[in-house]
Amino acid sequence: MPGPLDSIRVIDLTSMISGPLATMMLGDQGAEVIKVEAPGGGDHTRAAANRRGGMSASFLHNNRSKRSAVLDLKAEAGRAALLKLAATADVFVQNFRPGVAERIGVGEDAIRAVAPSIVYVSISGFGEEGPYRDKPVYDPLVQGVSGLASVQAGSDEARPRLVRTILPDKLSGIVAAQAITAALLARARTGEGQHVRLSMLDAVVAFLWASDMGSQTFVGDSLPQQAAASFADLIYDTADTPISVAVQSDREWRSLARAVDHPEWLDDSRFRGVEDRQRNIDARLELTQSALRGRSAAEWLERLAAADVPCAPVLTRNATLDDPQVRANGIVVEFDHPMAGRVRAARPAARFSGTPAAIGAPAPAYGADTEAVLREAGLGETDIEDLRRGGAFGPEREAGT
């Protein structure tokens, strides 16, 4: 059964993480995604570390459910070939620095001239205006400017800390995928395409506002310095391995106090209500930690779960693979890649009852589909040979090799 985006064709000029993750999600949901790569090696993540069979893990995890075509957009013939592909597409996605797409002849006007109702998507680091627009951007820079590194530190007085995963890159990819499907829905209703612009900075600041910018919410009453809610994580040591315990409501607090054999906490004025417990969060967490050191993780998880206290084990990456809930959800799947061999991946997170998403073709070899996608766009063998002679596929490169 086809996925929810079946019959949608996407031309993907993106590289690295944010754009490729967005288009991979569309591909998993049934869209046909044609990844257009430059001569000389293509997407930079193809050359990343942790490789097998000539394929990097990073490229595999952000480029499945796609086909690869190599076109030299610096050559007139390469741009002509791209326009042929764009004329057959519903979505065009690029993450060049602002202004680059226009300079090389693949900006919105050029693409819309051959595909008037296309959804044209531009993903940038800092945005298309302002003093940072032309800066090269990587994930840590966005963590710094957005305030995320300060949030991760816990307080404005503490040294900023990076989140130890490329959250801005991946979040931007997810936001882009959602925005693209929204634009496609609007087009289905109106018949008109539009330009979707997204910066990584926009995505992260909007993400933080949902939970971490409370002190900046009320105009005129912003705090001059963000104090830490707590310097303690909700990760607790036990007699062996750590666990996470998180309580919010009065009922959960009462259940925790009784489960750890400290009913006297319920008479402590510092912890009587939600606001009291938040104001005295460090003292509360320190008491909780002191109580949890006395038993093993397994004992505490059983005891706390029986009392309906929110809790879970804290696992290493390898241990996560064997967690019974992860297995019950079928999150991690295995399949054979023609170059990399047997590989693992996380299945598409959202499940559709009528139009299921699924991992499609494995991440493609560099340029493996160049000739095929051009033929599907209506080019004959003579046309393809003319493009090759015109340098469309790069210097001395045979299409499809």
Side-chain angles (χ1 to χ4, degrees):
M1 186 176 296
L5 295 180
D6 180 53
S7 80
I8 296 297
R9 173 175 272 200
V10 179
I11 305 301
D12 175 13
L13 266 65
T14 67
S15 62
M16 299 300 286
I17 304 297
S18 58
L21 174 60
T23 54
M24 185 194 77
M25 292 177 67
L26 303 178
D28 285 350
Q29 292 172 1
E32 178 193 2
V33 180
I34 300 171
K35 184 178 180 72
V36 177
E37 302 184 72
D43 191 322
H44 176 75
T45 62
R46 285 189 180 274
N50 189 15
R51 305 161 57 80
R52 190 168 71 185
M55 300 293 289
S56 74
S58 177
F59 186 83
L60 286 172
H61 291 319
N62 294 285
N63 291 282
R64 68 185 185 223
S65 303
K66 303 180 187 181
R67 296 193 288 171
S68 170
V70 172
L71 294 175
D72 187 354
L73 301 183
K74 295 179 181 179
E76 184 177 347
R79 292 191 297 274
L82 179 69
L83 292 176
K84 288 285 189 181
L85 294 177
T88 70
D90 302 283
V91 180
F92 186 97
V93 191
Q94 56 88 5
N95 65 348
F96 298 118
R97 287 195 216 179
V100 171
E102 289 74 18
R103 285 201 301 274
I104 64 176
V106 297
E108 181 187 9
D109 290 346
I111 300 303
R112 201 167 296 286
V114 298
S117 63
I118 202 163
V119 172
Y120 188 98
V121 184
S122 300
I123 303 173
S124 62
F126 288 128
E128 298 187 7
E129 304 292 339
Y132 299 168
R133 74 181 293 271
D134 295 322
K135 287 179 175 287
V137 182
Y138 289 108
D139 192 277
L141 281 65
V142 178
Q143 291 202 36
V145 176
S146 66
L148 176 58
S150 181
V151 169
Q152 186 68 5
S155 163
D156 288 354
E157 295 180 335
R159 186 179 189 279
R161 299 177 62 185
L162 294 177
V163 177
R164 300 304 297 179
T165 185
I166 51 173
L167 186 148
D169 267 310
K170 293 185 286 187
L171 175 66
S172 298
I174 293 168
V175 173
Q178 189 279 326
I180 291 166
T181 55
L184 286 169
L185 176 60
R187 191 184 72 159
R189 291 173 171 168
T190 68
E192 297 182 2
Q194 58 188 296
H195 193 157
V196 177
R197 296 175 172 88
L198 170 70
S199 82
M200 293 168 64
L201 179 61
D202 287 12
V204 177
V205 172
F207 174 78
L208 292 177
W209 221 277
S211 62
D212 302 293
M213 305 295 278
S215 60
Q216 286 71 43
T217 296
F218 301 111
V219 177
D221 290 318
S222 298
L223 299 181
Q225 174 119 336
Q226 179 66 52
S230 174
F231 290 103
D233 291 326
L234 295 178
I235 304 292
Y236 298 101
D237 294 327
T238 69
D240 45 22
T241 56
I243 63 173
S244 181
V245 181
V247 298
Q248 296 288 335
S249 68
D250 291 336
R251 181 190 61 77
E252 291 167 348
W253 172 246
R254 290 193 296 269
S255 296
L256 173 65
R258 292 174 181 133
V260 299
D261 296 326
H262 283 285
E264 72 278 7
W265 292 355
L266 303 179
D267 298 322
D268 194 319
S269 61
R270 296 175 296 172
F271 311 131
R272 285 215 175 108
V274 173
E275 189 174 351
D276 299 315
R277 291 194 295 275
Q278 186 62 32
R279 188 182 304 113
N280 297 287
I281 187 171
D282 280 330
R284 173 169 60 87
L285 299 185
E286 287 167 8
L287 285 175
T288 305
Q289 175 60 90
S290 66
L292 293 175
R293 282 198 174 95
R295 298 174 186 263
S296 70
E299 291 176 281
W300 278 128
L301 291 171
E302 181 178 2
R303 190 179 179 112
L304 293 170
D308 205 27
V309 174
C311 62
V314 175
L315 305 175
T316 64
R317 282 168 277 200
N318 281 332
T320 295
L321 300 178
D322 292 321
D323 181 77
Q325 188 61 55
V326 173
R327 286 188 173 276
N329 287 9
I331 298 173
V332 180
V333 297
E334 294 186 3
F335 56 91
D336 292 314
H337 189 281
M339 297 170 64
R342 193 74 174 166
V343 298
R344 292 190 190 93
R347 62 159 174 78
R351 301 191 185 195
F352 299 81
S353 62
T355 54
I359 293 175
Y366 177 56
D369 307 292
T370 306
E371 290 189 4
V373 298
L374 290 173
R375 290 191 194 97
E376 292 165 14
L379 278 72
E381 296 304 320
T382 301
D383 300 317
I384 292 173
E385 185 58 34
D386 288 343
L387 289 171
R388 181 182 292 111
R389 290 199 191 99
F393 311 129
E396 300 180 358
R397 177 178 172 81
E398 292 295 323
T401 62

